[in-house]
Every structure is written in structure tokens, then in C-alpha cells.
Amino acid sequence: MKKKAVRIIGVGMACAMLCLFSGEAYASTISEIKRQQEEDQKKLNNVQGQISGLQGMQGEVGEEIEEIDAELVQIIASVDLIKEEIVEKEEQIKVTEAEYEAAKAREEEQYEAMKVRIKFMYEQGDISYVQLFMTSDSFGDMLNKADYVEQIYAYDRKMLEEYQAAKEYVQQVWDKLEEEKSELEAAQHELEEEQAYMEEVLEEKKQEYENYNVQIARAKQEAASYRARIKQQTAQIRKLEEEERKRREEEERRRKEEEARRLQEAQANGTAVESTDSSSQSNSSSSSSSSSSSGSSDGSANVSSGGSAAGQAIASYACQFIGNPYVAGGTSLTNGADCSGFVWRVFKDKGYSVPRTSWELRNAGSEVSYSNAQPGDIVCYAGHVGIYIGNGNIVHASTPKSGIKITTATYKSILSVRRVA
């Protein structure tokens, strides 16, 4: 009878050990899946941060494209205006050129007529100065004839000088118009070169914008893959938890049946039998402890909420530049900075090396929960960053319109809080 009782006890202990091992295997499997799920969640968060960063940079490129487009419109309009001015100058030059040729022709005609008269009177004509004196009726008649000749000469000379002056004036106007046309053509050339350069830059920016589309699409695909894995892992955990629940219920049912059977046999044989409750409880306790241990891995260590002197110094220094401008791509605390440039410069001035871009700043230093944020911590958002200054506020380079200012930290969804100092 004693041997039978020992055998019964052994079977009970074996069942208890089997339950213990099953519980440990379950806890180990759940712990491993949760560990992998945590890793995938971190990777998903990182990819989402990259997507936000890429979208932010793509947005900046989009703004640059708009600015280049606007500048190109102005350049093209200027080129068109200059072309119109050149056409007008060419018309003016044609008119002036015609006037010049007419004046030149009149000058030549006058010159030829004067030469004919001089030649007739002094070279080939019948009248000479001697004949002029000899054929005069009187001395007064001679003076009148001499005066007439001199008047003709003076008239011809005056007309010649006037036509020469007119021709010179027309030539000067023509030369001036030609010079102005040349200047317009030079300006047109420079503007067209600038237009070609801006069109090239615009094409590069458009290509860069499209490249961001490709990178974002690839990152979104990667994020979707992580989400699918996390969803599958969640389903596996739920399935295992359900299987474990059913297994525990079945074990409890068998244990109770075995306990009842042993009690009946013990009563029939008059033998006291040790309860396997202690083993079962030990198994349950062990499994519970294992599950509890597995669950504790999900938590994160609490960080002291007390602000450090270094963090206070960073926050105070950052607040000195409130009201200064926001400048895309800038890193100057006085002349202008964007959000990440502002954070980067503040920390650099205080002797800390941090990344330059907003999405890289999400991996700087160590992560703390927002509830434990302290002055000097970096608060990260999608495509944006700021510096926590306490009392639920941040100081940040906000927008081109508002510049550097103080804002409630929770004004939009916080992705991460990073502690560097």
C-alpha cells in the first residue's frame, strides 16, 4: 500500500514538474516575442522619425522650388521687357540712320553745288575778278558785284557748316542709340544666363524633391513591414496567452481530478497522502514569477526629475534669443536659425556636440519620458525640435513669421524627449 501511495505521489510530482516546465517554456516564448516586438517597435519609431525628417526636408526643398519659380518668372519678365526695349531702340536707330543718310546726302549735294558755282565763277567761267572790275559801270557797281560773290560764298559755306553740324548731331544720336542697344543686349545676355542657371537649379531641386519621394516611399514600405510584424507578434502573444489560459484550466481540472482520486484511494486504504497543492502552487508561483519577470522588461527606468545645473544653464541661455528671426537652414542665434539649427547652436555654444538635423536629434543623448522632462532637455516632434525650459514650456525657432519664441511643449504630439546635458 505504501508503494502504491508513493507511486501516486510520484505521478503527482511529475505532473507538477511538467506544469512547471510548460509554464517556463510559455514565459520564455512570450518574453522572446515581446523582446522582438520591442525591437521592431524601436525600429518602427526610428523609421517614422526618418519619414518625418525626410518630409520636413522635402518641404524645405518644395519651398525653395516655389522661390526659384517666382524668381524665374521675374527674370523671364525682365528678359521680355529688355527684348521689347531692344526692338524699340532698333526702330529708333533705323529712323536716326535714315536722317543721317539724308543729312549726309544734302551735305554732299550742297557741297557739289558750291563746287560747281565756284568752278564756274573762278575756274571755268567767263567772269574773273579782273573782268568783274573791268565790266563794272562804276566802282560802286564793282563793289556790289564783289559783295554778291562773297554773299554766295558765305551762303554756301554756312549751309555746308549747318549740314555738317546736323550730320554730326545725327551721328552722335545714332552712336548713343547703338551704345544703349549694346547695353540692353548685354543685360539680356546676363539675364538669360541667370535664367539658364536658375532653370538648372530648379531641375536639380525637382529631382531632389522626387528623390525624397522615393526615400519616403521606401521608408513607408519599411514602416509598413514593421507594423505588419508587430501586428503578427501581437496576434502570436494573444494566441499563446489563450493557449496558456486553456492549458492552465486543463491542468487545474486534472489536478483536481487527481487530488480527488488520491483522496478516495487514501480513504479506502486508510493512508494519508501528501497534497500536491504545494507543488502546484510552486508551479503557479514560478510561472507567475516568470510572467511577472517577463512583464517587467516592458517598463523603462525612471529618471530623476530634478533639473541639473547644466540643463538650467542651457535653458537660460536659449531664452536669451527669444524674438530673433527664423531662417531656413540658418544656425545663427542672432541673425536667424531654423529649429534644429537653433538647438544645435545653443548646445554647441555650451560645449556639447549634437546632430544638426531634427530627425537625427531624436537619437541624441538618452531618452526620458516627458513626465520626467527637465530644463535643457530636447523635445522632438515630427520635423521639429525645441528646448524644454520647465513648467510645461519649450523655447524654439518656430516659423519665419514668429521667429524664436516660447510655446507649450504639448502644442503638438511629442515623439521623444532627449537628455544630453
Side-chain angles (χ1 to χ4, degrees):
M1 295 298 293
K2 288 182 178 181
K3 289 182 178 180
K4 189 174 182 179
V6 170
R7 180 176 62 80
I8 292 170
I9 293 170
V11 171
M13 292 181 64
C15 290
M17 293 298 291
L18 180 61
C19 291
L20 176 62
F21 292 148
S22 297
E24 289 177 349
Y26 160 78
S28 176
T29 302
I30 290 289
S31 177
E32 177 60 26
I33 294 174
K34 285 186 175 181
R35 184 192 64 78
Q36 185 62 49
Q37 190 178 47
E38 287 176 0
E39 291 181 1
D40 289 341
Q41 184 64 51
K42 288 180 181 179
K43 291 177 181 177
L44 174 61
N45 292 340
N46 186 52
V47 172
Q48 288 175 329
Q50 291 178 8
I51 291 172
S52 297
L54 288 169
Q55 288 173 335
M57 290 186 283
Q58 186 184 43
E60 291 178 0
V61 173
E63 291 177 359
E64 290 178 10
I65 289 174
E66 291 179 359
E67 291 174 359
I68 293 171
D69 273 332
E71 191 169 346
L72 267 174
V73 168
Q74 292 180 351
I75 291 173
I76 292 171
S78 298
V79 170
D80 290 340
L81 287 174
I82 285 177
K83 286 180 178 178
E84 291 177 4
E85 290 183 25
I86 289 174
V87 170
E88 291 177 1
K89 290 294 179 185
E90 288 175 344
E91 292 298 325
Q92 293 175 13
I93 288 171
K94 287 180 181 178
V95 172
T96 305
E97 185 177 8
E99 292 176 355
Y100 172 78
E101 293 297 333
K104 184 178 179 182
R106 286 195 300 272
E107 177 208 12
E108 290 176 353
E109 289 174 2
Q110 180 67 17
Y111 180 65
E112 291 298 327
M114 186 184 69
K115 284 199 302 182
V116 169
R117 284 194 294 272
I118 292 173
K119 186 176 182 181
F120 175 77
M121 289 186 298
Y122 302 115
E123 296 177 1
Q124 298 178 356
D126 297 331
I127 299 175
S128 65
Y129 275 108
V130 175
Q131 290 175 326
L132 184 64
F133 289 121
M134 296 297 294
T135 58
S136 298
D137 296 333
S138 63
F139 184 74
D141 183 36
M142 181 188 69
L143 291 177
N144 288 334
K145 289 181 178 180
D147 183 60
Y148 173 72
V149 172
E150 289 296 332
Q151 287 179 5
I152 292 175
Y153 174 78
Y155 172 79
D156 287 338
R157 185 67 184 174
K158 179 183 178 183
M159 292 300 296
L160 179 62
E161 290 176 351
E162 287 179 356
Y163 283 125
Q164 284 179 337
K167 187 182 73 171
E168 289 176 1
Y169 172 76
V170 172
Q171 180 69 50
Q172 291 174 359
V173 172
W174 188 21
D175 291 343
K176 183 180 179 182
L177 289 172
E178 285 285 357
E179 184 178 353
E180 290 174 354
K181 178 187 174 184
S182 178
E183 290 175 356
L184 288 171
E185 288 174 342
Q188 178 185 349
H189 176 71
E190 291 176 1
L191 282 171
E192 286 175 344
E193 280 193 343
E194 185 177 356
Q195 178 182 344
Y197 169 75
M198 294 302 293
E199 287 173 347
E200 183 179 346
V201 172
L202 179 62
E203 189 60 33
E204 291 176 357
K205 290 297 179 182
K206 286 181 177 178
Q207 185 60 48
E208 185 178 352
Y209 189 89
E210 289 303 317
N211 288 340
Y212 279 125
N213 274 337
V214 173
Q215 294 179 52
I216 290 170
R218 189 183 298 120
K220 285 183 176 179
Q221 185 177 5
E222 186 178 355
S225 174
Y226 285 127
R227 288 193 193 96
R229 287 174 59 177
I230 291 170
K231 184 177 179 181
Q232 183 181 12
Q233 290 159 352
T234 300
Q236 288 177 341
I237 291 171
R238 289 176 179 173
K239 181 180 178 182
L240 286 171
E241 288 176 341
E242 180 62 20
E243 290 176 352
E244 177 63 12
R245 184 187 64 79
K246 291 179 179 179
R247 183 186 67 79
R248 288 177 181 274
E249 289 177 353
E250 180 63 23
E251 287 177 355
E252 182 64 17
R253 185 187 62 79
R254 287 201 303 266
R255 186 189 66 77
K256 288 180 179 179
E257 289 177 354
E258 180 66 21
E259 182 69 18
R261 187 180 62 79
R262 286 193 299 111
L263 286 172
Q264 288 176 357
E265 290 181 358
Q267 289 173 357
N269 297 321
T271 306
V273 181
E274 293 182 5
S275 174
T276 60
D277 284 352
S278 61
S279 297
S280 177
Q281 291 171 358
S282 174
N283 172 46
S284 177
S285 174
S286 175
S287 296
S288 176
S289 173
S290 177
S291 297
S292 175
S293 174
S294 173
S296 67
S297 66
D298 294 338
S300 59
N302 290 326
V303 180
S304 174
S305 60
S308 66
Q312 288 282 356
I314 289 172
S316 298
Y317 180 67
C319 288
Q320 295 178 18
F321 305 99
I322 293 171
N324 287 345
Y326 174 102
V327 175
T331 58
S332 172
L333 298 176
T334 53
N335 297 327
D338 57 20
C339 64
S340 56
F342 173 70
V343 173
W344 177 81
R345 174 60 67 180
V346 167
F347 276 82
K348 183 177 186 297
D349 288 354
K350 287 298 178 180
Y352 295 90
S353 177
V354 296
R356 170 64 182 82
T357 62
S358 59
W359 72 270
E360 288 178 319
L361 283 166
R362 283 197 285 275
N363 296 316
S366 58
E367 184 173 12
V368 298
S369 64
Y370 173 65
S371 61
N372 289 324
Q374 64 185 34
D377 289 346
I378 302 172
V379 182
C380 305
Y381 310 88
H384 193 70
V385 288
I387 298 175
Y388 190 72
I389 60 174
N391 298 321
N393 294 320
I394 61 167
V395 59
H396 62 141
S398 178
T399 65
K401 185 176 181 180
S402 57
I404 299 171
K405 67 174 186 177
I406 292 177
T407 303
T408 302
T410 55
Y411 81 107
K412 60 194 254 182
S413 180
I414 296 173
L415 294 182
S416 179
V417 178
R418 314 300 301 187
R419 181 162 297 158
V420 175

